[in-house]
Coordinates of all heavy atoms in Angstrom, one line a residue:
M165 N -55.8 -36.1 20.8 CA -55.3 -35.0 20.1 C -53.8 -35.1 19.9 O -53.0 -35.3 20.8 CB -55.6 -33.8 21.0 CG -55.1 -32.5 20.4 SD -55.6 -31.2 21.6 CE -55.7 -29.9 20.5
K166 N -53.4 -35.1 18.7 CA -52.0 -35.2 18.3 C -51.3 -33.8 18.2 O -51.9 -32.9 17.7 CB -51.8 -36.0 17.0 CG -50.4 -36.3 16.7 CD -50.3 -37.1 15.4 CE -48.9 -37.4 15.1 NZ -48.7 -38.1 13.9
R167 N -50.2 -33.7 18.9 CA -49.5 -32.4 18.9 C -48.3 -32.5 17.9 O -47.5 -33.4 18.0 CB -49.0 -32.2 20.3 CG -48.7 -30.8 20.6 CD -48.4 -30.6 22.0 NE -47.4 -29.5 22.1 CZ -46.8 -29.3 23.2 NH1 -46.9 -30.0 24.3 NH2 -46.0 -28.2 23.2
S168 N -48.2 -31.5 17.1 CA -47.1 -31.5 16.1 C -45.9 -31.0 16.8 O -46.0 -30.2 17.8 CB -47.5 -30.7 14.9 OG -47.8 -29.3 15.3
P169 N -44.7 -31.4 16.4 CA -43.5 -30.9 17.0 C -43.3 -29.4 16.8 O -43.7 -28.9 15.8 CB -42.4 -31.7 16.4 CG -43.0 -32.2 15.1 CD -44.4 -32.3 15.3
A170 N -42.7 -28.8 17.8 CA -42.5 -27.4 17.8 C -41.4 -27.1 16.7 O -40.5 -27.9 16.5 CB -42.0 -26.9 19.1
P171 N -41.6 -26.0 16.0 CA -40.5 -25.7 15.0 C -39.2 -25.3 15.7 O -39.2 -24.9 16.9 CB -41.1 -24.4 14.3 CG -42.1 -23.9 15.3 CD -42.6 -25.0 16.1
P172 N -38.1 -25.6 15.1 CA -36.8 -25.3 15.7 C -36.7 -23.8 15.9 O -37.2 -22.9 15.2 CB -35.8 -25.7 14.7 CG -36.5 -25.8 13.4 CD -37.9 -26.1 13.7
L173 N -36.1 -23.4 17.0 CA -35.9 -22.0 17.4 C -34.9 -21.4 16.5 O -33.8 -21.9 16.3 CB -35.5 -21.8 18.8 CG -36.6 -22.2 19.8 CD1 -36.0 -22.0 21.3 CD2 -37.8 -21.2 19.7
A174 N -35.1 -20.2 16.0 CA -34.1 -19.4 15.2 C -33.4 -18.6 16.3 O -33.9 -18.3 17.4 CB -34.8 -18.5 14.2
C175 N -32.2 -18.2 15.9 CA -31.4 -17.4 16.9 C -32.1 -16.2 17.3 O -32.1 -15.8 18.5 CB -30.1 -17.0 16.1 SG -29.0 -16.1 17.2
A176 N -32.9 -15.5 16.5 CA -33.6 -14.3 16.9 C -34.7 -14.6 17.8 O -35.2 -13.7 18.5 CB -34.1 -13.6 15.6
D177 N -35.2 -15.8 18.0 CA -36.3 -16.1 18.9 C -35.9 -16.1 20.3 O -36.7 -15.9 21.2 CB -36.8 -17.5 18.5 CG -37.5 -17.6 17.2 OD1 -38.1 -16.5 16.8 OD2 -37.6 -18.7 16.6
W178 N -34.6 -16.2 20.6 CA -34.3 -16.3 22.1 C -32.9 -15.7 22.5 O -32.8 -15.3 23.6 CB -34.4 -17.7 22.6 CG -33.5 -18.7 21.9 CD1 -33.6 -19.3 20.7 CD2 -32.2 -19.1 22.4 NE1 -32.6 -20.1 20.4 CE2 -31.6 -19.9 21.4 CE3 -31.4 -18.8 23.5 CZ2 -30.4 -20.5 21.5 CZ3 -30.2 -19.4 23.7 CH2 -29.7 -20.3 22.7
A179 N -31.9 -15.8 21.6 CA -30.6 -15.4 22.1 C -29.9 -14.3 21.4 O -29.0 -13.7 22.0 CB -29.7 -16.7 22.1
C180 N -30.3 -14.0 20.2 CA -29.5 -13.0 19.5 C -30.1 -11.6 19.7 O -31.3 -11.5 19.8 CB -29.5 -13.3 18.0 SG -28.6 -14.8 17.6
P181 N -29.2 -10.6 19.8 CA -29.8 -9.3 19.9 C -30.4 -8.9 18.6 O -30.0 -9.3 17.5 CB -28.5 -8.5 20.2 CG -27.4 -9.2 19.6 CD -27.8 -10.7 19.7
P182 N -31.4 -8.0 18.7 CA -32.0 -7.5 17.5 C -31.1 -6.6 16.8 O -30.2 -6.0 17.4 CB -33.3 -6.8 18.0 CG -32.9 -6.3 19.4 CD -32.0 -7.4 19.9
P183 N -31.3 -6.3 15.5 CA -30.5 -5.4 14.7 C -30.7 -4.0 15.3 O -31.8 -3.6 15.8 CB -31.0 -5.5 13.3 CG -31.8 -6.7 13.2 CD -32.3 -7.0 14.6
Q184 N -29.6 -3.3 15.4 CA -29.6 -1.9 15.8 C -29.6 -1.0 14.6 O -29.0 -1.2 13.6 CB -28.5 -1.6 16.7 CG -28.6 -2.2 18.1 CD -27.7 -3.4 18.3 OE1 -26.8 -3.6 17.6 NE2 -28.2 -4.3 19.2
N185 N -30.3 0.2 14.7 CA -30.3 1.2 13.7 C -29.8 2.5 14.3 O -30.3 2.9 15.3 CB -31.7 1.3 13.1 CG -32.2 0.1 12.4 OD1 -31.6 -0.4 11.6 ND2 -33.3 -0.4 12.9
F186 N -28.8 3.1 13.6 CA -28.3 4.4 14.0 C -28.4 5.4 12.8 O -28.2 5.0 11.7 CB -26.9 4.3 14.4 CG -26.6 3.4 15.6 CD1 -26.2 2.1 15.4 CD2 -26.7 3.8 16.9 CE1 -26.0 1.2 16.4 CE2 -26.5 2.9 17.9 CZ -26.2 1.6 17.7
N187 N -28.8 6.6 13.2 CA -28.9 7.6 12.1 C -28.0 8.8 12.6 O -28.1 9.2 13.7 CB -30.3 8.1 12.0 CG -31.2 7.0 11.6 OD1 -31.9 6.5 12.5 ND2 -31.3 6.6 10.4
F188 N -27.1 9.3 11.7 CA -26.2 10.3 12.0 C -26.5 11.5 11.1 O -26.7 11.3 9.9 CB -24.8 9.9 11.9 CG -23.8 11.0 12.1 CD1 -23.4 11.4 13.3 CD2 -23.2 11.6 11.0 CE1 -22.5 12.4 13.5 CE2 -22.3 12.6 11.1 CZ -21.9 13.0 12.4
K189 N -26.6 12.7 11.6 CA -26.8 13.9 10.7 C -25.9 15.0 11.2 O -25.9 15.3 12.4 CB -28.3 14.2 10.7 CG -28.6 15.4 9.8 CD -30.1 15.5 9.6 CE -30.4 16.6 8.7 NZ -30.4 16.3 7.3
S190 N -25.2 15.7 10.3 CA -24.4 16.8 10.6 C -24.5 17.8 9.4 O -24.0 17.5 8.4 CB -23.0 16.5 10.9 OG -22.2 17.6 11.2
G191 N -25.2 18.9 9.6 CA -25.4 19.8 8.5 C -26.2 19.1 7.4 O -27.2 18.6 7.6
N192 N -25.6 19.1 6.2 CA -26.2 18.5 5.0 C -25.9 17.0 4.9 O -26.3 16.3 4.0 CB -25.9 19.2 3.7 CG -26.5 20.6 3.7 OD1 -27.5 20.8 4.2 ND2 -25.8 21.5 3.0
Y193 N -25.0 16.5 5.7 CA -24.5 15.1 5.7 C -25.4 14.2 6.5 O -25.7 14.6 7.7 CB -23.1 15.0 6.1 CG -22.6 13.6 6.1 CD1 -22.2 13.0 4.9 CD2 -22.5 12.8 7.2 CE1 -21.7 11.7 4.8 CE2 -22.1 11.5 7.2 CZ -21.7 10.9 6.0 OH -21.2 9.6 6.0
S194 N -25.7 13.0 6.1 CA -26.5 12.1 6.9 C -26.0 10.6 6.5 O -25.6 10.4 5.4 CB -28.0 12.2 6.7 OG -28.3 11.9 5.3
A195 N -26.0 9.8 7.5 CA -25.6 8.4 7.3 C -26.5 7.5 8.2 O -27.0 7.9 9.2 CB -24.2 8.2 7.8
D196 N -26.8 6.3 7.6 CA -27.6 5.3 8.3 C -26.7 4.1 8.5 O -26.0 3.6 7.6 CB -28.8 4.9 7.5 CG -29.8 6.0 7.3 OD1 -30.1 6.7 8.3 OD2 -30.2 6.2 6.2
L197 N -26.7 3.6 9.8 CA -26.0 2.4 10.1 C -26.9 1.3 10.7 O -27.7 1.6 11.6 CB -24.9 2.7 11.2 CG -23.9 3.8 10.7 CD1 -24.3 5.1 11.2 CD2 -22.5 3.4 11.3
T198 N -26.8 0.1 10.2 CA -27.7 -1.0 10.7 C -26.8 -2.2 10.9 O -26.0 -2.5 10.0 CB -28.8 -1.3 9.7 OG1 -29.5 -0.1 9.4 CG2 -29.7 -2.4 10.2
G199 N -27.0 -2.9 12.0 CA -26.3 -4.2 12.2 C -26.5 -4.7 13.6 O -27.5 -4.4 14.2
V200 N -25.6 -5.6 14.0 CA -25.8 -6.2 15.3 C -24.5 -6.0 16.1 O -23.4 -6.4 15.7 CB -26.0 -7.8 15.2 CG1 -26.1 -8.4 16.5 CG2 -27.3 -8.0 14.4
L201 N -24.7 -5.4 17.2 CA -23.6 -5.2 18.2 C -24.0 -6.0 19.5 O -25.1 -5.8 20.0 CB -23.4 -3.8 18.5 CG -22.9 -2.9 17.4 CD1 -22.8 -1.4 17.8 CD2 -21.6 -3.3 16.8
T202 N -23.1 -6.8 19.9 CA -23.3 -7.7 21.1 C -22.4 -7.3 22.2 O -21.2 -7.1 21.9 CB -23.2 -9.2 20.7 OG1 -24.0 -9.5 19.7 CG2 -23.4 -10.0 21.9
S203 N -22.8 -7.2 23.4 CA -21.9 -6.9 24.5 C -22.0 -8.1 25.4 O -23.1 -8.8 25.6 CB -22.3 -5.6 25.3 OG -23.6 -5.7 25.8
E204 N -20.9 -8.4 26.1 CA -20.8 -9.5 27.0 C -19.9 -9.2 28.1 O -19.0 -8.4 28.0 CB -20.4 -10.8 26.2 CG -19.0 -10.7 25.7 CD -18.6 -11.9 24.9 OE1 -19.5 -12.8 24.5 OE2 -17.4 -12.1 24.5
L205 N -20.2 -9.9 29.2 CA -19.4 -9.7 30.4 C -18.3 -10.8 30.4 O -18.5 -12.0 30.3 CB -20.3 -9.9 31.7 CG -19.6 -9.6 33.0 CD1 -19.2 -8.2 33.1 CD2 -20.6 -9.9 34.1
A206 N -17.0 -10.3 30.3 CA -15.9 -11.2 30.3 C -15.3 -11.3 31.7 O -14.6 -10.5 32.2 CB -14.8 -10.7 29.3
L207 N -15.7 -12.4 32.3 CA -15.3 -12.7 33.7 C -13.8 -13.1 33.8 O -13.3 -13.7 32.8 CB -16.1 -13.8 34.3 CG -17.6 -13.5 34.4 CD1 -18.3 -14.7 34.9 CD2 -17.9 -12.3 35.3
S208 N -13.1 -12.7 34.9 CA -11.7 -13.0 35.0 C -11.5 -13.4 36.5 O -11.9 -12.7 37.4 CB -10.9 -11.8 34.6 OG -9.5 -12.1 34.9
L209 N -10.8 -14.5 36.7 CA -10.4 -14.8 38.0 C -9.2 -14.0 38.5 O -9.0 -13.7 39.7 CB -10.1 -16.3 38.1 CG -11.3 -17.2 37.9 CD1 -10.8 -18.7 37.8 CD2 -12.4 -17.0 38.9
I210 N -8.3 -13.7 37.5 CA -7.2 -12.9 37.8 C -7.3 -11.6 37.0 O -7.4 -11.7 35.8 CB -5.8 -13.6 37.5 CG1 -5.7 -14.9 38.3 CG2 -4.6 -12.7 37.7 CD1 -4.6 -15.8 37.9
G211 N -7.2 -10.5 37.6 CA -7.4 -9.3 36.8 C -8.8 -8.8 36.9 O -9.6 -9.1 37.8
R212 N -9.2 -7.9 36.0 CA -10.5 -7.2 36.1 C -11.4 -7.9 35.1 O -11.1 -8.2 34.0 CB -10.3 -5.8 35.7 CG -9.4 -5.1 36.7 CD -9.0 -3.7 36.3 NE -10.1 -3.0 35.6 CZ -10.1 -1.6 35.5 NH1 -9.2 -0.9 36.0 NH2 -11.1 -1.1 34.8
T213 N -12.7 -8.0 35.6 CA -13.8 -8.4 34.8 C -14.1 -7.2 33.9 O -14.0 -6.0 34.3 CB -15.0 -8.7 35.6 OG1 -14.6 -9.9 36.4 CG2 -16.2 -9.1 34.8
R214 N -14.4 -7.5 32.7 CA -14.7 -6.3 31.7 C -15.9 -6.6 30.8 O -16.3 -7.8 30.7 CB -13.5 -6.0 30.9 CG -13.0 -7.2 30.1 CD -11.6 -6.9 29.5 NE -11.1 -8.1 28.9 CZ -10.9 -8.2 27.6 NH1 -11.1 -7.2 26.8 NH2 -10.5 -9.4 27.1
I215 N -16.4 -5.6 30.3 CA -17.5 -5.7 29.3 C -16.8 -5.5 27.9 O -16.1 -4.6 27.7 CB -18.6 -4.7 29.5 CG1 -19.2 -4.9 30.9 CG2 -19.6 -4.7 28.4 CD1 -20.2 -3.8 31.3
R216 N -17.1 -6.4 27.0 CA -16.5 -6.3 25.7 C -17.7 -6.4 24.7 O -18.7 -7.0 24.9 CB -15.5 -7.3 25.4 CG -15.9 -8.8 25.4 CD -14.7 -9.7 25.2 NE -15.2 -11.1 25.4 CZ -14.4 -12.1 25.6 NH1 -13.1 -11.9 25.6 NH2 -14.8 -13.3 25.8
A217 N -17.4 -5.8 23.5 CA -18.5 -5.8 22.5 C -17.9 -6.3 21.2 O -16.7 -6.2 21.0 CB -19.0 -4.3 22.3
Y218 N -18.7 -6.8 20.4 CA -18.3 -7.3 19.0 C -19.5 -7.3 18.1 O -20.7 -7.2 18.6 CB -17.7 -8.7 19.1 CG -18.6 -9.7 19.6 CD1 -19.4 -10.5 18.7 CD2 -18.8 -10.0 21.0 CE1 -20.3 -11.5 19.2 CE2 -19.6 -10.9 21.5 CZ -20.4 -11.7 20.6 OH -21.2 -12.6 21.1
G219 N -19.3 -7.2 16.8 CA -20.4 -7.2 15.9 C -20.0 -6.4 14.6 O -18.9 -6.2 14.3
F220 N -21.1 -6.0 14.0 CA -20.8 -5.2 12.7 C -22.0 -4.2 12.5 O -23.1 -4.3 13.1 CB -20.8 -6.2 11.5 CG -22.2 -6.8 11.3 CD1 -23.0 -6.2 10.3 CD2 -22.6 -7.9 11.9 CE1 -24.3 -6.7 10.1 CE2 -23.8 -8.5 11.6 CZ -24.7 -7.9 10.7
L221 N -21.7 -3.2 11.7 CA -22.7 -2.2 11.3 C -22.4 -2.0 9.8 O -21.3 -1.7 9.4 CB -22.5 -0.9 12.0 CG -22.9 -0.9 13.5 CD1 -22.5 0.5 14.1 CD2 -24.4 -1.2 13.7
N222 N -23.5 -2.2 9.0 CA -23.4 -1.8 7.6 C -23.9 -0.4 7.5 O -24.7 0.1 8.3 CB -24.4 -2.7 6.8 CG -23.9 -4.1 6.7 OD1 -22.7 -4.4 6.6 ND2 -24.8 -5.0 6.9
F223 N -23.3 0.4 6.6 CA -23.7 1.8 6.5 C -23.8 2.3 5.1 O -23.2 1.7 4.2 CB -22.8 2.7 7.3 CG -21.4 2.8 6.8 CD1 -21.0 3.7 5.9 CD2 -20.4 1.9 7.3 CE1 -19.7 3.7 5.4 CE2 -19.1 2.0 6.9 CZ -18.8 2.9 5.9
N224 N -24.5 3.4 5.0 CA -24.6 4.1 3.7 C -24.9 5.6 4.1 O -25.4 5.8 5.1 CB -25.6 3.5 2.7 CG -27.0 3.5 3.3 OD1 -27.5 4.5 3.9 ND2 -27.7 2.4 3.2
D225 N -24.5 6.5 3.2 CA -24.7 7.9 3.5 C -25.3 8.6 2.2 O -25.6 7.9 1.2 CB -23.5 8.6 3.9 CG -22.4 8.6 2.9 OD1 -22.6 8.4 1.7 OD2 -21.2 8.9 3.3
N226 N -25.6 9.8 2.4 CA -26.3 10.6 1.3 C -25.3 11.0 0.2 O -25.8 11.7 -0.7 CB -27.1 11.8 1.9 CG -26.1 12.8 2.6 OD1 -25.0 12.5 3.0 ND2 -26.6 14.0 2.7
V227 N -24.1 10.7 0.3 CA -23.1 11.0 -0.8 C -22.7 9.7 -1.5 O -21.6 9.6 -2.1 CB -22.0 11.9 -0.4 CG1 -22.5 13.3 0.0 CG2 -21.2 11.3 0.8
N228 N -23.5 8.6 -1.4 CA -23.3 7.4 -2.1 C -22.1 6.5 -1.6 O -21.6 5.7 -2.3 CB -23.2 7.5 -3.6 CG -24.5 8.1 -4.1 OD1 -25.6 7.7 -3.7 ND2 -24.4 9.0 -5.1
N229 N -21.7 6.7 -0.3 CA -20.7 5.8 0.3 C -21.4 4.7 0.9 O -22.5 4.9 1.5 CB -19.8 6.5 1.3 CG -19.0 7.6 0.7 OD1 -18.2 7.3 -0.2 ND2 -19.1 8.8 1.2
T230 N -20.8 3.5 0.8 CA -21.4 2.3 1.5 C -20.2 1.6 2.2 O -19.1 1.8 1.8 CB -22.1 1.3 0.6 OG1 -21.1 0.9 -0.4 CG2 -23.3 2.0 -0.1
G231 N -20.5 0.8 3.2 CA -19.5 0.0 3.8 C -19.9 -0.8 5.0 O -21.1 -1.0 5.2
K232 N -18.9 -1.2 5.7 CA -19.1 -2.1 6.9 C -18.1 -1.8 8.0 O -16.9 -1.8 7.7 CB -19.1 -3.5 6.5 CG -19.5 -4.5 7.6 CD -19.5 -6.0 7.0 CE -20.0 -6.9 8.1 NZ -20.1 -8.3 7.5
L233 N -18.5 -1.6 9.2 CA -17.7 -1.5 10.3 C -17.8 -2.8 11.1 O -18.9 -3.3 11.4 CB -18.2 -0.3 11.2 CG -17.5 -0.2 12.6 CD1 -16.1 0.4 12.4 CD2 -18.4 0.7 13.5
T234 N -16.6 -3.4 11.4 CA -16.6 -4.7 12.2 C -15.7 -4.5 13.4 O -14.6 -4.0 13.4 CB -16.0 -5.8 11.3 OG1 -16.8 -5.9 10.1 CG2 -16.1 -7.1 12.0
I235 N -16.3 -5.0 14.6 CA -15.5 -5.0 15.8 C -15.4 -6.4 16.3 O -16.5 -7.1 16.4 CB -16.2 -4.2 16.9 CG1 -16.5 -2.7 16.4 CG2 -15.5 -4.2 18.2 CD1 -17.4 -1.9 17.3
D236 N -14.2 -6.9 16.6 CA -14.1 -8.3 17.1 C -13.9 -8.3 18.6 O -13.7 -7.3 19.2 CB -13.1 -9.1 16.3 CG -11.6 -8.7 16.6 OD1 -11.4 -8.0 17.6 OD2 -10.8 -9.2 15.9
R237 N -13.9 -9.5 19.2 CA -13.7 -9.6 20.7 C -12.4 -9.2 21.2 O -12.2 -9.0 22.4 CB -14.0 -11.1 21.1 CG -15.5 -11.4 21.0 CD -15.6 -12.8 21.6 NE -17.0 -13.1 21.9 CZ -17.7 -14.1 21.3 NH1 -17.1 -14.9 20.5 NH2 -18.9 -14.3 21.7
N238 N -11.4 -9.0 20.3 CA -10.1 -8.6 20.7 C -9.8 -7.1 20.5 O -8.6 -6.7 20.3 CB -9.0 -9.5 20.0 CG -9.2 -10.9 20.3 OD1 -9.3 -11.3 21.5 ND2 -9.1 -11.8 19.3
N239 N -10.8 -6.4 20.4 CA -10.7 -4.9 20.2 C -10.2 -4.5 18.8 O -9.7 -3.4 18.7 CB -9.9 -4.2 21.3 CG -10.5 -4.4 22.7 OD1 -11.7 -4.5 22.8 ND2 -9.7 -4.6 23.7
K240 N -10.2 -5.3 17.9 CA -9.8 -5.0 16.5 C -11.0 -4.4 15.7 O -12.0 -5.1 15.7 CB -9.2 -6.2 15.8 CG -8.7 -5.8 14.4 CD -8.2 -7.0 13.6 CE -7.8 -6.6 12.2 NZ -7.6 -7.7 11.4
I241 N -10.8 -3.2 15.2 CA -11.9 -2.6 14.5 C -11.4 -2.4 13.0 O -10.3 -2.0 12.8 CB -12.2 -1.2 15.1 CG1 -12.7 -1.3 16.5 CG2 -13.2 -0.5 14.2 CD1 -12.8 0.0 17.2
T242 N -12.2 -2.9 12.1 CA -11.9 -2.7 10.7 C -13.1 -2.0 10.1 O -14.3 -2.2 10.5 CB -11.7 -4.0 9.9 OG1 -12.8 -4.9 10.1 CG2 -10.4 -4.7 10.5
I243 N -12.8 -1.2 9.1 CA -13.9 -0.5 8.4 C -13.6 -0.7 6.9 O -12.5 -0.6 6.4 CB -14.0 1.0 8.8 CG1 -15.2 1.6 8.2 CG2 -12.7 1.7 8.5 CD1 -15.6 2.9 8.8
E244 N -14.7 -0.9 6.2 CA -14.6 -1.0 4.7 C -15.5 0.1 4.1 O -16.7 0.1 4.5 CB -15.1 -2.4 4.2 CG -15.1 -2.6 2.8 CD -15.6 -3.9 2.4 OE1 -15.2 -4.9 2.9 OE2 -16.5 -3.9 1.5
I245 N -14.9 0.9 3.3 CA -15.7 2.0 2.7 C -15.5 1.9 1.2 O -14.4 1.9 0.7 CB -15.2 3.4 3.1 CG1 -15.4 3.5 4.7 CG2 -16.0 4.5 2.4 CD1 -14.7 4.7 5.2
N246 N -16.6 1.7 0.5 CA -16.6 1.6 -1.0 C -15.6 0.5 -1.5 O -14.8 0.8 -2.3 CB -16.3 2.9 -1.7 CG -17.4 4.0 -1.3 OD1 -18.5 3.6 -1.1 ND2 -17.0 5.2 -1.3
N247 N -15.6 -0.6 -0.8 CA -14.7 -1.8 -1.1 C -13.3 -1.6 -0.8 O -12.4 -2.3 -1.3 CB -14.9 -2.2 -2.6 CG -16.3 -2.7 -2.8 OD1 -16.9 -3.4 -2.0 ND2 -16.9 -2.3 -4.0
M248 N -12.9 -0.6 0.0 CA -11.5 -0.4 0.4 C -11.5 -0.6 1.9 O -12.3 0.0 2.6 CB -11.1 1.0 0.1 CG -10.9 1.3 -1.4 SD -10.4 3.0 -1.8 CE -8.9 3.2 -0.9
E249 N -10.6 -1.5 2.4 CA -10.6 -1.8 3.8 C -9.5 -1.0 4.6 O -8.4 -0.8 4.1 CB -10.3 -3.3 4.0 CG -10.4 -3.7 5.5 CD -10.4 -5.2 5.6 OE1 -11.1 -5.9 5.0 OE2 -9.5 -5.7 6.5
F250 N -9.9 -0.6 5.7 CA -9.0 0.1 6.7 C -9.0 -0.6 8.0 O -10.1 -0.9 8.5 CB -9.5 1.6 6.8 CG -9.6 2.4 5.5 CD1 -10.9 2.4 4.9 CD2 -8.6 3.1 5.0 CE1 -11.0 3.1 3.7 CE2 -8.7 3.8 3.9 CZ -10.0 3.8 3.2
A251 N -7.8 -0.8 8.6 CA -7.8 -1.5 9.8 C -7.0 -0.6 10.9 O -6.3 0.2 10.6 CB -7.1 -2.8 9.7

């Protein structure tokens, strides 16, 4: 019996977090956010060990705004709304 080689693993098969979905509603306003946020334990020999997060969320709302929220490992947050970037 000949065994065929296993297919290569995709990131989602073992190590990557699944996409997260968030829904926000306030009165008549609603927004949907979808993306990947990863948290990791940042060990330190000197100082404090900390948990840090990074990733992105794409969003759209019921008044036709679209954009992307990005968080990097150095606590920098940028947001793009309707092709205008805010940092």
Side-chain angles (χ1 to χ4, degrees):
M165 179 180 206
K166 186 176 180 183
R167 197 172 153 194
S168 59
L173 290 176
C175 182
D177 290 332
W178 61 277
C180 290
Q184 287 100 26
N185 297 303
F186 300 95
N187 304 98
F188 175 79
K189 186 167 177 87
S190 178
N192 292 330
Y193 179 80
S194 65
D196 296 313
L197 298 94
T198 304
V200 178
L201 296 175
T202 303
S203 60
E204 64 186 9
L205 188 59
L207 300 173
S208 176
L209 296 175
I210 301 172
R212 297 172 35 162
T213 298
R214 58 194 174 113
I215 297 173
R216 62 183 173 194
Y218 59 95
F220 69 93
L221 292 171
N222 294 317
F223 66 87
N224 59 48
D225 64 16
N226 64 336
V227 290
N228 296 321
N229 293 308
T230 60
K232 184 175 186 175
L233 171 77
T234 305
I235 305 169
D236 72 14
R237 285 185 166 122
N238 296 317
N239 298 326
K240 181 181 177 194
I241 299 172
T242 57
I243 187 166
E244 180 185 308
I245 302 171
N246 299 330
N247 296 318
M248 294 176 57
E249 187 171 308
F250 305 90

